[in-house]
Amino acid sequence: MPIKSFEDLFIEELSDIYSAEKQLTKALPKVAKAASNEDLKKAVSDHLEETENQVKRIEKIVKEENLTLKRKKCAAMEGLISEADEAISSIEQGPLLDVALIMGAQKVEHYEISAYGSLIELAKLLGYDAAVDLLDETLGEEKGADSKLNDIAVSGVNEDAQEMRASL
Ligand code: FE
Ligand code: ZN
Ligand code: FE
Ligand code: FE
């Protein structure tokens, strides 16, 4: 179906991020398992719980605004997940893989931050007030996850990486 209105565009983009979140609920357990650093493992597991909630939050938006989602697969998230899979299968577990996992996870969070930021602006334009609040809750969680990953990289994983380099 062609996209001819801002309503159509909102549905298209909401359907896209819905697919992205659902793909993540399947991919994040693998990432948590592949991580060695305990803080990283915990951050990914915690964000998995949030992600499951984010899926439900989108379903709530659909219900409250009386919308119908399209069946579509987010190709961007499929690509980002496939790159993370590549890292997991080609790098031995340890600080090096942890750094690669953080890089991949931050790419995912930045994608989501962009998507939700734009969806909020579209929802405001369309007067979808309930959606604005719900999307904003999720945006806050995505920003929190991104900054948590930053903290873990700075405080722990980069240090593990220094030690690993020094021991080579
Ligand atoms: Fe998310
Ligand atoms: Zn997408
Ligand atoms: Fe996309
Ligand atoms: Fe996220």
Side-chain angles (χ1 to χ4, degrees), residues 88-158:
I88 291 170
S89 60
S90 60
I91 305 174
E92 234 180 80
Q93 284 206 7
L96 186 61
L97 179 58
D98 282 356
V99 169
L101 293 176
I102 290 173
M103 290 178 74
Q106 287 198 290
K107 287 177 188 174
V108 166
E109 295 316 316
H110 283 234
Y111 179 86
E112 293 180 305
I113 289 166
S114 311
Y116 283 108
S118 305
L119 277 165
I120 288 167
E121 294 312 312
L122 277 173
K124 283 183 190 164
L125 178 74
L126 293 164
Y128 295 162
D129 297 338
V132 172
D133 291 345
L134 291 163
L135 292 166
D136 200 54
E137 267 182 67
T138 295
L139 179 61
E141 292 173 355
E142 309 299 18
K143 286 182 178 169
D146 180 55
S147 90
K148 183 89 221 216
L149 288 163
N150 244 338
D151 291 348
I152 291 168
V154 170
S155 70
V157 171
N158 286 353

XYZ file of all heavy atoms in Angstrom, residues 88-158:
524
model
N 29.989 -12.623 17.082
C 29.929 -13.743 18.030
C 30.577 -14.998 17.445
O 31.278 -15.730 18.133
C 28.472 -14.016 18.469
C 27.965 -12.853 19.338
C 28.346 -15.339 19.232
C 26.474 -12.875 19.644
N 30.376 -15.214 16.150
C 30.932 -16.442 15.577
C 32.390 -16.302 15.158
O 33.055 -17.296 14.935
C 30.067 -16.936 14.410
O 30.021 -15.966 13.409
N 32.904 -15.071 15.061
C 34.287 -14.948 14.606
C 35.268 -14.470 15.676
O 36.474 -14.443 15.439
C 34.362 -14.028 13.381
O 33.879 -12.746 13.707
N 34.781 -14.101 16.859
C 35.678 -13.612 17.914
C 35.524 -14.490 19.155
O 34.412 -14.801 19.577
C 35.373 -12.139 18.286
C 35.413 -11.237 17.037
C 36.362 -11.628 19.336
C 34.991 -9.785 17.295
N 36.665 -14.892 19.720
C 36.647 -15.700 20.937
C 36.067 -14.887 22.093
O 36.268 -13.669 22.158
C 38.101 -16.049 21.299
C 38.357 -17.538 21.479
C 39.820 -17.767 21.837
O 40.182 -17.593 23.025
O 40.590 -18.112 20.904
N 35.401 -15.557 23.032
C 34.834 -14.847 24.178
C 35.940 -14.184 24.989
O 37.019 -14.729 25.139
C 34.054 -15.833 25.076
C 32.714 -16.201 24.467
C 31.689 -16.626 25.525
O 31.919 -16.531 26.712
N 30.550 -17.089 25.054
N 35.667 -12.969 25.461
C 36.656 -12.210 26.234
C 36.514 -10.729 25.934
O 35.538 -10.314 25.306
N 37.496 -9.937 26.389
C 37.410 -8.476 26.243
C 37.228 -8.006 24.800
O 36.539 -7.016 24.557
C 38.753 -7.986 26.793
C 39.230 -9.070 27.693
C 38.703 -10.349 27.132
N 37.858 -8.705 23.858
C 37.747 -8.281 22.461
C 36.312 -8.435 21.956
O 35.753 -7.519 21.339
C 38.717 -9.122 21.607
C 38.858 -8.758 20.137
C 39.377 -7.338 19.965
C 39.809 -9.751 19.440
N 35.708 -9.583 22.261
C 34.305 -9.772 21.853
C 33.402 -8.797 22.612
O 32.471 -8.238 22.027
C 33.853 -11.227 22.079
C 32.382 -11.522 21.703
C 32.087 -11.189 20.240
C 32.020 -12.985 21.990
N 33.691 -8.569 23.887
C 32.865 -7.625 24.659
C 32.850 -6.241 24.004
O 31.797 -5.604 23.904
C 33.371 -7.504 26.108
C 32.934 -8.687 26.971
O 32.189 -9.551 26.467
O 33.348 -8.749 28.148
N 34.014 -5.788 23.564
C 34.072 -4.472 22.906
C 33.236 -4.505 21.618
O 32.457 -3.584 21.340
C 35.538 -4.059 22.609
C 35.576 -2.833 21.697
C 36.280 -3.756 23.910
N 33.347 -5.575 20.856
C 32.563 -5.697 19.615
C 31.064 -5.738 19.923
O 30.256 -5.136 19.197
C 32.992 -6.948 18.842
N 30.692 -6.426 21.002
C 29.268 -6.503 21.376
C 28.727 -5.138 21.798
O 27.600 -4.782 21.453
C 29.065 -7.515 22.520
C 29.335 -8.983 22.203
C 29.195 -9.835 23.472
C 28.407 -9.516 21.108
N 29.548 -4.384 22.528
C 29.118 -3.040 22.932
C 28.939 -2.164 21.699
O 27.955 -1.422 21.581
C 30.122 -2.403 23.920
C 30.057 -3.120 25.278
C 29.822 -0.906 24.110
C 31.113 -2.677 26.278
N 29.864 -2.265 20.755
C 29.741 -1.467 19.521
C 28.449 -1.801 18.795
O 27.712 -0.919 18.349
C 30.945 -1.715 18.606
C 32.240 -1.136 19.142
S 33.659 -1.490 18.091
C 33.339 -0.378 16.728
N 28.176 -3.097 18.687
C 26.954 -3.531 18.002
C 25.708 -3.084 18.744
O 24.737 -2.600 18.140
N 25.735 -3.215 20.074
C 24.565 -2.853 20.877
C 24.312 -1.350 20.804
O 23.163 -0.905 20.748
C 24.768 -3.299 22.330
N 25.381 -0.560 20.779
C 25.180 0.896 20.700
C 24.634 1.312 19.336
O 23.836 2.242 19.236
C 26.474 1.642 21.051
C 26.736 1.559 22.559
C 27.724 2.589 23.046
O 28.917 2.499 22.743
N 27.260 3.555 23.800
N 25.032 0.602 18.287
C 24.440 0.877 16.962
C 22.930 0.618 17.012
O 22.131 1.374 16.463
C 25.091 0.014 15.881
C 26.493 0.451 15.520
C 27.113 -0.492 14.497
C 28.586 -0.176 14.289
N 29.253 -1.166 13.416
N 22.558 -0.465 17.678
C 21.128 -0.789 17.818
C 20.407 0.314 18.594
O 19.351 0.796 18.175
C 20.944 -2.151 18.530
C 19.509 -2.348 18.996
C 21.388 -3.295 17.617
N 20.969 0.731 19.732
C 20.302 1.758 20.549
C 20.185 3.070 19.782
O 19.162 3.744 19.854
C 21.031 1.968 21.887
C 21.018 0.755 22.817
C 19.671 0.060 22.920
O 18.637 0.738 23.038
O 19.648 -1.185 22.864
N 21.211 3.420 19.027
C 21.134 4.676 18.266
C 20.071 4.608 17.178
O 19.378 5.596 16.914
C 22.510 5.046 17.690
C 23.429 5.625 18.715
N 24.060 6.823 18.583
C 23.782 5.152 19.941
C 24.772 7.075 19.670
N 24.628 6.066 20.498
N 19.930 3.447 16.560
C 18.853 3.269 15.568
C 17.500 3.506 16.238
O 16.635 4.215 15.723
C 18.929 1.857 14.960
C 17.844 1.581 13.946
C 18.006 1.928 12.617
C 16.637 0.994 14.333
C 17.004 1.701 11.686
C 15.635 0.763 13.414
C 15.825 1.109 12.093
O 14.824 0.890 11.189
N 17.337 2.875 17.405
C 16.061 2.988 18.119
C 15.798 4.420 18.583
O 14.671 4.909 18.507
C 16.060 2.045 19.328
C 16.071 0.579 18.934
C 16.062 -0.323 20.151
O 16.950 -0.164 21.026
O 15.171 -1.181 20.237
N 16.847 5.077 19.086
C 16.691 6.467 19.547
C 16.212 7.347 18.385
O 15.301 8.168 18.551
C 18.019 6.993 20.162
C 18.280 6.305 21.511
C 17.995 8.518 20.317
C 19.710 6.480 22.050
N 16.784 7.164 17.210
C 16.349 7.943 16.034
C 14.904 7.636 15.676
O 14.115 8.535 15.395
C 17.202 7.621 14.804
O 18.545 7.683 15.116
N 14.576 6.342 15.666
C 13.222 5.937 15.269
C 12.184 6.500 16.232
O 11.186 7.095 15.812
C 13.132 4.413 15.208
N 12.417 6.341 17.538
C 11.426 6.810 18.514
C 11.343 8.337 18.542
O 10.259 8.906 18.694
C 11.711 6.245 19.913
C 11.278 4.805 20.052
C 12.198 3.771 20.130
C 9.918 4.479 20.074
C 11.798 2.443 20.241
C 9.503 3.160 20.185
C 10.449 2.143 20.263
O 10.042 0.837 20.371
N 12.501 9.007 18.381
C 12.490 10.469 18.358
C 11.601 10.978 17.232
O 10.777 11.886 17.421
N 11.729 10.391 16.049
C 10.920 10.822 14.901
C 9.455 10.432 15.078
O 8.553 11.204 14.727
C 11.445 10.176 13.615
O 12.813 10.465 13.464
N 9.215 9.241 15.630
C 7.830 8.813 15.867
C 7.118 9.758 16.834
O 5.927 10.043 16.658
C 7.807 7.375 16.413
C 7.905 6.269 15.360
C 8.251 4.935 16.012
C 6.608 6.145 14.561
N 7.831 10.234 17.837
C 7.233 11.167 18.798
C 6.811 12.452 18.086
O 5.701 12.960 18.300
C 8.218 11.462 19.958
C 8.338 10.224 20.864
C 7.772 12.685 20.764
C 9.494 10.277 21.853
N 7.663 12.956 17.209
C 7.320 14.189 16.480
C 6.117 13.963 15.565
O 5.235 14.807 15.453
C 8.529 14.707 15.686
C 9.692 15.177 16.561
C 9.272 16.114 17.690
O 8.514 17.074 17.432
O 9.693 15.881 18.840
N 6.085 12.793 14.900
C 4.926 12.472 14.052
C 3.658 12.358 14.887
O 2.594 12.844 14.495
C 5.169 11.152 13.296
C 5.997 11.227 12.007
C 6.276 9.825 11.482
C 5.288 12.064 10.943
N 3.766 11.720 16.054
C 2.598 11.544 16.927
C 2.076 12.895 17.407
O 0.862 13.106 17.502
C 2.957 10.638 18.108
N 2.999 13.812 17.690
C 2.580 15.169 18.108
C 1.817 15.842 16.984
O 0.756 16.441 17.193
C 3.807 16.022 18.460
C 4.410 15.716 19.811
C 5.585 16.679 20.073
C 6.371 16.266 21.302
N 7.695 16.928 21.344
N 2.359 15.734 15.774
C 1.730 16.352 14.599
C 0.314 15.813 14.401
O -0.605 16.542 14.026
C 2.588 16.043 13.363
C 2.109 16.532 12.002
C 2.305 18.039 11.902
C 2.868 15.839 10.875
N 0.163 14.518 14.666
C -1.118 13.852 14.408
C -2.083 13.941 15.591
O -3.230 13.485 15.496
C -0.863 12.380 14.051
C -0.127 12.158 12.718
C 0.420 10.739 12.627
C -1.042 12.457 11.541
N -1.628 14.496 16.702
C -2.488 14.585 17.882
C -2.717 13.251 18.570
O -3.724 13.066 19.255
N -1.779 12.322 18.398
C -1.864 11.032 19.097
C -1.226 11.197 20.479
O -0.096 10.756 20.716
C -1.114 9.942 18.320
C -1.668 9.574 16.971
C -0.860 8.892 16.041
C -2.981 9.853 16.596
C -1.347 8.523 14.794
C -3.476 9.492 15.344
C -2.651 8.827 14.449
O -3.115 8.458 13.221
N -1.969 11.822 21.394
C -1.375 12.201 22.676
C -0.935 11.015 23.523
O 0.111 11.045 24.164
C -2.367 13.067 23.474
C -2.663 14.382 22.758
O -1.824 14.794 21.928
O -3.731 14.981 23.017
N -1.748 9.966 23.547
C -1.386 8.784 24.345
C -0.100 8.172 23.786
O 0.777 7.739 24.541
C -2.516 7.760 24.319
N 0.010 8.159 22.464
C 1.200 7.595 21.821
C 2.443 8.402 22.181
O 3.507 7.819 22.432
C 1.018 7.546 20.306
N 2.325 9.728 22.223
C 3.481 10.570 22.552
C 4.067 10.150 23.898
O 5.273 9.922 24.022
C 3.106 12.080 22.580
C 4.257 12.924 23.120
C 2.698 12.562 21.190
N 3.205 10.003 24.907
C 3.689 9.645 26.244
C 4.327 8.258 26.270
O 5.379 8.053 26.871
C 2.531 9.690 27.255
C 2.053 11.122 27.491
O 2.781 12.061 27.120
O 0.943 11.296 28.038
N 3.665 7.302 25.616
C 4.178 5.922 25.634
C 5.505 5.827 24.874
O 6.449 5.169 25.320
C 3.137 4.964 25.040
C 1.878 4.772 25.915
C 0.727 4.174 25.109
C 2.200 3.884 27.120
N 5.581 6.496 23.733
C 6.824 6.469 22.945
C 7.958 7.146 23.704
O 9.113 6.725 23.623
C 6.610 7.163 21.595
C 5.677 6.439 20.614
C 5.282 7.371 19.466
C 6.329 5.164 20.073
N 7.605 8.179 24.461
C 8.613 8.898 25.227
C 9.192 8.038 26.351
O 10.381 8.118 26.655
C 7.999 10.191 25.780
C 9.074 11.195 26.149
O 9.919 11.505 25.290
O 9.085 11.647 27.310
N 8.355 7.198 26.940
C 8.843 6.269 27.974
C 9.892 5.341 27.374
O 10.947 5.097 27.953
C 7.689 5.394 28.483
C 6.983 5.916 29.710
C 5.891 4.953 30.169
O 6.229 3.841 30.614
O 4.702 5.319 30.045
N 9.577 4.806 26.201
C 10.526 3.902 25.544
C 11.801 4.641 25.147
O 12.903 4.131 25.362
C 9.874 3.248 24.310
O 8.798 2.425 24.762
C 10.863 2.387 23.555
N 11.648 5.856 24.610
C 12.837 6.632 24.219
C 13.776 6.810 25.414
O 14.993 6.675 25.280
C 12.427 7.987 23.638
C 13.574 8.916 23.217
C 14.422 8.281 22.118
C 13.042 10.272 22.743
N 13.192 7.068 26.588
C 14.003 7.216 27.796
C 14.781 5.943 28.113
O 15.950 6.001 28.499
N 14.138 4.792 27.924
C 14.825 3.518 28.187
C 15.955 3.280 27.188
O 17.011 2.760 27.548
C 13.823 2.358 28.111
C 12.803 2.368 29.249
C 11.697 1.334 29.096
O 11.634 0.638 28.037
O 10.868 1.209 30.026
N 15.732 3.643 25.932
C 16.780 3.449 24.913
C 17.987 4.333 25.204
O 19.136 3.895 25.097
C 16.256 3.749 23.499
C 14.954 3.059 23.099
C 14.995 1.545 23.087
O 15.889 0.949 23.695
O 14.099 0.947 22.453
N 17.711 5.588 25.602
C 18.818 6.492 25.944
C 19.552 5.984 27.179
O 20.776 6.041 27.253
C 18.290 7.912 26.192
C 17.902 8.630 24.907
C 17.436 10.052 25.190
C 17.094 10.794 23.894
N 16.408 12.076 24.157
N 18.779 5.438 28.140
C 19.388 4.889 29.345
C 20.283 3.702 29.017
O 21.387 3.577 29.551
N 19.807 2.837 28.124
C 20.592 1.655 27.740
C 21.883 2.083 27.043
O 22.961 1.552 27.314
C 19.772 0.745 26.826
N 21.776 3.078 26.176
C 22.960 3.564 25.456
C 23.982 4.130 26.433
O 25.176 3.825 26.328
C 22.536 4.625 24.438
C 23.726 5.168 23.664
O 24.458 4.350 23.066
O 23.942 6.388 23.672
N 23.528 4.927 27.407
C 24.509 5.553 28.294
C 25.075 4.523 29.265
O 26.232 4.592 29.647
C 23.942 6.810 28.961
O 23.333 6.502 30.169
N 24.268 3.510 29.629
C 24.768 2.406 30.459
C 25.898 1.660 29.725
O 26.926 1.338 30.308
C 23.602 1.450 30.765
C 23.929 0.283 31.667
C 23.743 0.637 33.129
C 24.858 0.041 33.935
N 24.627 -0.452 35.223
N 25.693 1.410 28.444
C 26.724 0.730 27.649
C 28.000 1.561 27.602
O 29.111 1.033 27.694
C 26.208 0.457 26.232
C 25.152 -0.650 26.107
C 24.423 -0.549 24.762
C 25.782 -2.041 26.268
N 27.844 2.878 27.472
C 28.994 3.781 27.500
C 29.747 3.653 28.809
O 30.966 3.509 28.827
C 28.507 5.232 27.372
C 28.995 5.874 26.098
O 29.986 5.443 25.513
N 28.312 6.898 25.671
N 28.995 3.696 29.922
C 29.620 3.603 31.245
C 30.386 2.295 31.391
O 31.485 2.266 31.932
C 28.545 3.653 32.352
C 27.893 5.026 32.456
O 28.417 5.982 31.842
O 26.856 5.138 33.135
N 29.783 1.207 30.925
C 30.426 -0.108 31.052
C 31.706 -0.156 30.226
O 32.726 -0.673 30.665
C 29.456 -1.234 30.656
C 28.338 -1.348 31.697
C 30.175 -2.568 30.515
C 27.177 -2.217 31.258
N 31.651 0.426 29.044
C 32.848 0.458 28.193
C 33.955 1.235 28.892
O 35.097 0.772 28.992
C 32.518 1.086 26.847
N 33.610 2.402 29.408
C 34.618 3.267 30.021
C 35.150 2.676 31.321
O 36.353 2.667 31.579
C 34.034 4.680 30.261
C 34.966 5.528 31.099
C 33.753 5.355 28.926
N 34.248 2.158 32.171
C 34.674 1.762 33.509
C 35.257 0.359 33.568
O 36.102 0.069 34.390
C 33.499 1.851 34.482
O 32.569 0.831 34.178
N 34.775 -0.531 32.705
C 35.208 -1.914 32.864
C 35.843 -2.536 31.647
O 36.983 -2.999 31.683
N 35.113 -2.534 30.559
C 35.533 -3.340 29.410
C 36.808 -2.799 28.769
O 37.691 -3.567 28.391
C 34.379 -3.462 28.380
C 34.862 -4.087 27.107
C 33.251 -4.290 28.984
N 36.934 -1.464 28.709
C 38.152 -0.915 28.108
C 39.385 -1.273 28.937
O 40.473 -1.488 28.398
C 38.041 0.605 27.920
C 37.116 0.962 26.768
O 36.662 0.081 26.039
N 36.830 2.231 26.611
